[in-house]
Amino acid sequence: MARMLNFMPELEPNELQYIQSLVENLSDEDAKQFAFIYRARRKKPQEVLILIIVGFLLIAGLQRFYLGQIGMGLLYLLTGGLCLVGTILDLINYKRLAYEYNVKEAQKVLSMLHY
């Protein structure tokens, strides 16, 4: 786990564990390349949280657009965050939303590296 921790110290513990399991068979050079690409594509949970809070005040669903969930973003936008219930649930689960997005992106990056 120390190898990815050296490349990406900003990762949350559960995300670090998942990423380490993905890259455990890669060489150091490939792991560095993975970390470089993944860092550019991943979403930080704090940014998702900020967008959810903005959704309470201005435009509901921004966090869903940010995470690439266009359909859910439109639904939240048109229904006021599903009458704020969905926005409240997203507020509670913002780390999970970011983690699920990041898992998909990590898998895409790994497939780009042909592994």
Side-chain angles (χ1 to χ4, degrees), residues 23 26 30-31 33-35 37 107-115:
V23 300
L26 299 180
D30 288 341
Q33 186 178 11
F34 175 88
I37 297 169
Q107 291 169 350
K108 287 179 187 177
V109 171
L110 193 63
S111 68
M112 282 176 28
L113 295 174
H114 304 291
Y115 290 99

Side-chain angles (χ1 to χ4, degrees), residues 29-102:
E29 188 60 37
D30 288 341
K32 282 182 187 178
Q33 186 178 11
F34 175 88
F36 180 75
I37 297 169
Y38 178 66
R39 179 179 283 129
R41 298 178 119 203
R42 75 181 288 269
K43 305 293 186 191
K44 298 176 186 168
Q46 298 83 358
E47 294 170 351
V48 175
L49 178 62
I50 289 169
L51 289 173
I52 293 170
I53 292 170
V54 169
F56 272 116
L57 306 173
L58 298 173
I59 302 170
L62 290 178
Q63 73 277 11
R64 295 295 181 150
F65 287 112
Y66 181 67
L67 295 172
Q69 300 173 350
I70 306 302
M72 285 297 288
L74 288 172
L75 182 64
Y76 274 47
L77 182 65
L78 297 174
T79 62
L82 300 175
C83 297
L84 290 180
V85 173
T87 304
I88 292 169
L89 290 174
D90 283 355
L91 182 63
I92 294 167
N93 296 315
Y94 75 95
K95 285 187 178 185
R96 182 186 53 81
L97 290 170
Y99 176 76
E100 288 174 357
Y101 176 86
N102 291 334

